[in-house]
Amino acid sequence: MNRLLLTAAALLTVSPALAQTIVPGTKVLYLKQLDPITDENNSVVVIVEVNDTAANTFLRIRCRQGAPDVFLITKNPLMTQEDWEANVFPDLVYRVDAQQPKTLATDGVIADDESVLNELAFVNDTVLIQALTNATSKLVMRVMRNGMSPLDYTFATKGFAQAMKAVNNCR
């Protein structure tokens, strides 16, 4: 679990003085943070993919302007540079527990004026937050990469509701 905490600390990219909390018995952690001037909730919740022992693949839920922004960050490229530049982003098929699969549109991510090929944002974050909240055990995602084989990721949802409550549901 220490490796999870250290990796997650690097992923959150926050001041070392701030403490991250791991929800006991889960791969969910959170950092509660308020902007010191505006008191805006800038908290972060991270759910590490169940099969990734190095914590390189995870969902990051970032609180911004009173609402959660959801990102999928992986150790694998999710698109080519050409696809990114053409605004051709992969669809994501997700399944909550044993329910029917559903498709969700994605969007690209920019960091430091560079396209990020191993990270996806979502056109409708609310749908994923509801899926994570309503799941009793897991959320399975399949990234339908253009011209490449699809990638499957599983996220255990135990601890998610507790982490979101701890960060005041991004309010």
Side-chain angles (χ1 to χ4, degrees), residues 118-141:
N118 67 325
E119 187 169 342
L120 291 174
F122 299 95
V123 174
N124 190 344
D125 297 304
T126 305
V127 169
L128 279 181
I129 294 297
Q130 288 174 343
L132 289 163
T133 302
N134 295 334
T136 57
S137 64
K138 66 183 176 181
L139 175 70
V140 179
M141 296 180 157

Side-chain angles (χ1 to χ4, degrees), residues 21-94:
T21 302
I22 298 174
V23 178
T26 73
K27 287 187 145 190
V28 177
L29 61 107
Y30 63 90
L31 167 73
K32 188 167 184 169
Q33 182 179 6
L34 295 178
D35 182 282
I37 303 297
T38 66
D39 290 330
E40 181 179 344
N41 189 346
N42 293 326
S43 300
V44 177
V45 173
V46 172
I47 307 172
V48 178
E49 203 270 341
V50 298
N51 299 307
D52 189 349
T53 57
N56 291 322
T57 299
F58 55 95
L59 287 174
R60 179 178 65 211
I61 297 93
R62 181 182 67 187
C63 298
R64 194 175 87 182
Q65 299 176 344
D69 279 343
V70 184
F71 299 87
L72 172 64
I73 295 95
T74 73
K75 60 186 173 188
N76 304 104
L78 301 173
M79 68 200 88
T80 65
Q81 183 66 37
E82 293 76 23
D83 284 343
W84 199 98
E85 290 171 1
N87 288 325
V88 177
F89 304 113
D91 281 336
L92 180 115
V93 177
Y94 70 96

